[in-house]
Each structure stands twice: as C-alpha cells, then as structure tokens.
Amino acid sequence: MRIVKSPGAMQRLAKRWQREGIRVGLVPTMGCLHAGHLSLVHRARRLTGKDGKVVVSIYVNPAQFGPREDFTSYPRDFMRDARLCRESGVDVVFAPTNAQMYPANSRGPFSTFVVEEDLSRRMEGASRPMHFRGVTTVVAKLFNLVRPTLAVFGSKDYQQASVIKRMVRDLNFPLRIVVAPTVREPDGLAMSSRNKYLRGPLRRQAVTLRHSIQRIRAAVRKSPTPIRAARLKSELRKFIERASAVRLDYVEFFDPERLTPASKVAPGTHMALAAFVGKTRLIDNASL
Ligand code: PAF
C-alpha cells in the first residue's frame, strides 16, 4: 500500500492508471475509520475487481466545518487508519495537508468553490450553512486528483450522497457514484467517527435516534392512510426529549429523490433527523 501526500503525485499516478485502462474506486473519508468505512472499501474493491485500484482519501476538510463546530477536536489517528487500510487491501491512501488542498500564496488566496443550490439548502444545509459548499468543493477536488471510475459514499449521510450525485450529473464528472448501506452498532446506533465522543449515559442515549426512526416506521406502516408530517414531528420531538441528554435539531420527511419535504408521510417517504447527544451532533435517516 502506498501513502501519497501530495496532490500532484496523486494526479500523476491517477493519469498513469487511466492511460493503462485501470479501474479506480475512491472512498473519500475524514479518517478515524470504523467498520462503516471499511464496508465502503470492500464495496469499492468488489466493483473495481482484483486488477483495479482502491484509493482511500483521509482528509479532515476544514471547509465543511462551521466556526463553532468540531474541526479542531475531530478525532484523528492516521497510523491506525493506515493500518486498517493496509489490512483491508487498499492500494493507495491519499492524505494531503490543508496547505496543499487550499493553497494560498503570493499568487493569491484560494477562491474557487463548488456550490450545489437546490438539494443542499435543506436539513443539514439549513443547520450548517457552509457545510455542503465545503463538501462539494473538496469532493470535486478529490475527483480531479484521483480520477476514479467510481466513488463509494455511505447512506448514513443520505443528503450528502444526493448532493454529490447531483454535482456529478450537473458538472459531467465522468464517474459512477455508489451509495452503500449504513453500518450499525449492535444496538442500532449508526456508525460514525463522532461516536468516539460518547461515553456512558450519552452513548446509551444516542440510540434514541435509531429508536425514533423505528417508532415512526412502525406507525407509518400500521396506518391505513398517510399521516400528517406535522403530527409525526411533534410526537417525535416529545419522544426524543424523554432522553435527558438528547436535543432534536431537525427531523424531516421527504421525497427520496428530490429531497422535497412531504406534508403526508407514507411507506416509501424518506426520513432524516439530526440531534445533539450532549455536545455531539449525530444524524441518521431511513426509508420508511
Ligand atoms: O462524509 C465524509 O466523511 C466527508 O463529508 C467527505 C465526503 C469525506 C468529504 O470531506
């Protein structure tokens, strides 16, 4: 396994692979890898084949964090990540620095961003205004540097995957986006690098997000007619706030393709929510 730090070296390698007709699967991550990330790596390997190359990018992207968010404290453990990648058969770990990804020098500041203007406005975009601008910018850069045949994202970040698919369509990036299922802890909590922040009662209460989805899904499936979203939202808020350390940020019911809010909820409607567990912000989603 190679560790490539410079964007120039990554792009030279990618161009060589392209000339040789090699299929390349990219798994973009911010590191602190867990079983969810490794499932994306295995999916990339299956899809690129034994003659293909799998690249994992490990980069905590400052542009997608708000000023009061956890960029500085975001968990980082490069040695462990590199070991997990090696054990999972990754060919290249691409781990650039901030100065390389966002160069600013005597020729001027970094001043070009990619903005998706429809899907990224709601939910995560409303709560974290510059978040998706940072995500689409860094992902577009990664696509230009790694030139993948396909890139694999997790469906825990459902809105992110939708925004990236839209960017790929709109800007004609020549690759396929694959969205892989959420991997969960035995109690149902969606795997996330931020779960590392949770200890004791906070960890126990974090599963409330999953239980909320299960409650709503059961109600929707039992009901002979669609249920008003406003009613479900208010019931869910009460349910969530029974867990003393959990504070709901938003819950939304929406069309799974266009992400437009649904006023009536029925099987097939998608649901996403974000909540603070203590100071840790977690997200989850599911098709109902
Ligand atoms: O999902 C993530 O870990 C990040 O948003 C991504 C896609 C690696 C971009 O920084």
Side-chain angles (χ1 to χ4, degrees):
M1 186 184 81
R2 273 174 77 170
I3 296 179
V4 176
K5 297 222 159 166
S6 121
M10 184 68 246
Q11 206 170 39
R12 280 192 295 279
L13 186 58
K15 281 186 185 162
R16 202 182 80 208
W17 288 339
Q18 203 168 39
R19 277 196 306 273
E20 293 170 3
I22 292 173
R23 285 171 68 74
V24 179
L26 169 67
V27 179
T29 82
M30 298 207 297
C32 193
L33 303 182
H34 50 66
H37 293 114
L38 300 182
S39 76
L40 308 183
V41 169
H42 297 313
R43 184 76 174 266
R45 170 58 68 204
R46 271 205 306 285
L47 293 169
T48 48
K50 67 176 178 20
D51 298 329
K53 302 286 183 194
V54 173
V55 178
V56 171
S57 62
I58 298 183
Y59 178 60
V60 185
N61 171 34
Q64 68 188 75
F65 289 78
R68 280 184 296 281
E69 292 181 352
D70 57 345
F71 171 67
T72 333
S73 61
Y74 193 84
R76 292 163 170 88
D77 190 344
F78 185 74
M79 297 311 281
R80 179 179 168 277
D81 290 345
R83 178 176 56 74
L84 288 173
C85 285
R86 190 171 296 112
E87 289 168 3
S88 306
V90 169
D91 296 290
V92 170
V93 165
F94 174 50
T97 63
N98 291 338
Q100 288 167 321
M101 287 300 267
Y102 296 102
N105 53 31
S106 54
R107 284 151 63 198
F110 182 93
S111 56
T112 308
F113 292 87
V114 178
V115 181
E116 191 287 323
E117 295 194 331
D118 174 32
L119 307 175
S120 61
R121 291 197 190 278
R122 297 180 270 277
M123 298 186 281
E124 286 301 288
S127 284
R128 308 178 66 191
M130 303 303 265
H131 174 66
F132 283 122
R133 172 188 189 255
V135 171
T136 40
T137 301
V138 84
V139 170
K141 284 174 68 77
L142 290 170
F143 289 170
N144 284 330
L145 295 171
V146 179
R147 302 180 165 218
T149 321
L150 57 97
V152 190
F153 292 86
S155 60
K156 190 197 55 114
D157 296 289
Y158 187 87
Q159 188 180 9
Q160 169 173 279
S162 305
V163 167
I164 289 166
K165 280 194 272 183
R166 179 69 66 86
M167 174 185 84
V168 163
R169 187 203 72 177
D170 288 354
L171 300 185
N172 305 96
F173 280 100
L175 78 151
R176 174 176 156 212
I177 299 298
V178 176
V179 184
T182 302
V183 177
R184 296 180 181 278
E185 300 287 353
D187 68 354
L189 176 66
M191 287 203 182
S192 159
S193 305
R194 289 190 170 97
N195 293 353
K196 277 224 158 24
Y197 299 138
L198 305 168
R199 294 267 179 272
L202 293 184
R203 172 61 189 81
R204 283 193 291 280
Q205 291 191 24
V207 77
T208 307
L209 276 81
R210 180 62 179 158
H211 290 166
S212 306
I213 292 176
Q214 287 167 331
R215 262 178 96 89
I216 299 280
R217 183 186 274 146
V220 167
R221 292 207 175 159
K222 214 169 70 192
S223 170
T225 52
I227 311 178
R228 276 192 320 111
R231 194 184 112 199
L232 290 175
K233 283 184 189 177
S234 106
E235 283 174 12
L236 189 101
R237 186 169 288 279
K238 283 188 211 131
F239 172 73
I240 285 209
E241 292 179 356
R242 283 198 332 225
S244 56
V246 185
R247 182 169 56 81
L248 185 65
D249 182 4
Y250 68 80
V251 54
E252 196 53 88
F253 300 98
F254 55 91
D255 170 81
E257 292 296 321
R258 303 289 304 270
L259 309 195
T260 42
S263 55
K264 296 270 177 64
V265 182
T269 307
H270 212 93
M271 162 180 179
L273 77 167
F276 288 91
V277 180
K279 290 196 175 113
T280 304
R281 189 172 179 283
L282 300 178
I283 58 174
D284 205 345
N285 75 86
S287 169
L288 300 173

